[in-house]
């Protein structure tokens, strides 16, 4: 695979995407509460990404049904959001690992 040189516009889109991802992760960190279902966090992430004029790139990718990949504590990485929730405060220090990528629509 050859190295692809990005245009200035592509680099600007990548930078903006990174900012939206960072803001979304910060919002999720602020939003998580004990007992909250992972599907609720997914909805928050999707709403924030779309509000920023972006598209969640995981959603629909090879049939993936969600905006984020999320795992709680000892779960395997890249879990699909659902009805799972974190119930224990002792494990809430770092309850979730989130992976979220997006593509920005060219306007």
């Amino acid at each position: 695979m050859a190295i692809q040189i990005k245009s200035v516009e592509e680099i600007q889109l990548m930078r903006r995407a990174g900012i939206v991802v960072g803001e979304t992760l910060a919002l999720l960190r602020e939003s998580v509460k004990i007992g909250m279902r992972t599907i609720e966090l997914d909805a928050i992430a999707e709403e924030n990404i779309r509000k920023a004029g972006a598209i969640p790139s995981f959603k629909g990718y090879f049939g993936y049904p969600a905006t984020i990949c999320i795992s709680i504590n000892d779960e395997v990485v890249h879990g699909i959001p659902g009805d799972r929730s974190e119930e224990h405060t002792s494990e809430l220090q770092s309850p979730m690992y989130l992976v979220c990528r997006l593509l920005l629509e060219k306007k």
Side-chain angles (χ1 to χ4, degrees):
M1 175 181 229
I3 296 173
Q4 295 180 357
I5 306 297
K6 302 291 183 193
S7 69
V8 172
E9 181 184 50
E10 289 171 321
I11 291 170
Q12 288 172 341
L13 285 173
M14 291 168 61
R15 182 176 290 127
R16 184 166 168 232
I19 290 168
V20 172
V21 168
E23 291 170 350
T24 302
L25 291 172
L27 175 62
L28 291 172
R29 238 179 263 116
E30 294 168 11
S31 300
V32 68
K33 304 216 179 343
I34 295 171
M36 183 178 234
R37 297 175 308 142
T38 56
I39 196 74
E40 294 173 275
L41 290 170
D42 186 74
I44 291 168
E46 182 170 1
E47 180 181 347
N48 193 66
I49 289 168
R50 292 193 185 280
K51 191 165 57 172
I55 303 168
S57 60
F58 279 168
K59 192 160 193 166
Y61 186 72
F62 286 99
Y64 190 76
T67 295
I68 61 176
C69 295
I70 187 167
S71 299
I72 299 174
N73 299 319
D74 61 351
E75 289 181 345
V76 177
V77 179
H78 304 306
I80 297 172
D83 287 331
R84 299 177 329 282
S85 64
E86 177 53 59
E87 301 293 338
H88 306 288
T89 57
S90 63
E91 298 178 40
L92 202 56
Q93 293 174 350
S94 179
M96 300 179 188
Y97 299 93
L98 307 176
V99 179
C100 180
R101 296 184 307 172
L102 55 86
L103 301 171
L104 292 172
E105 297 175 315
K106 293 184 180 184
K107 295 186 178 190

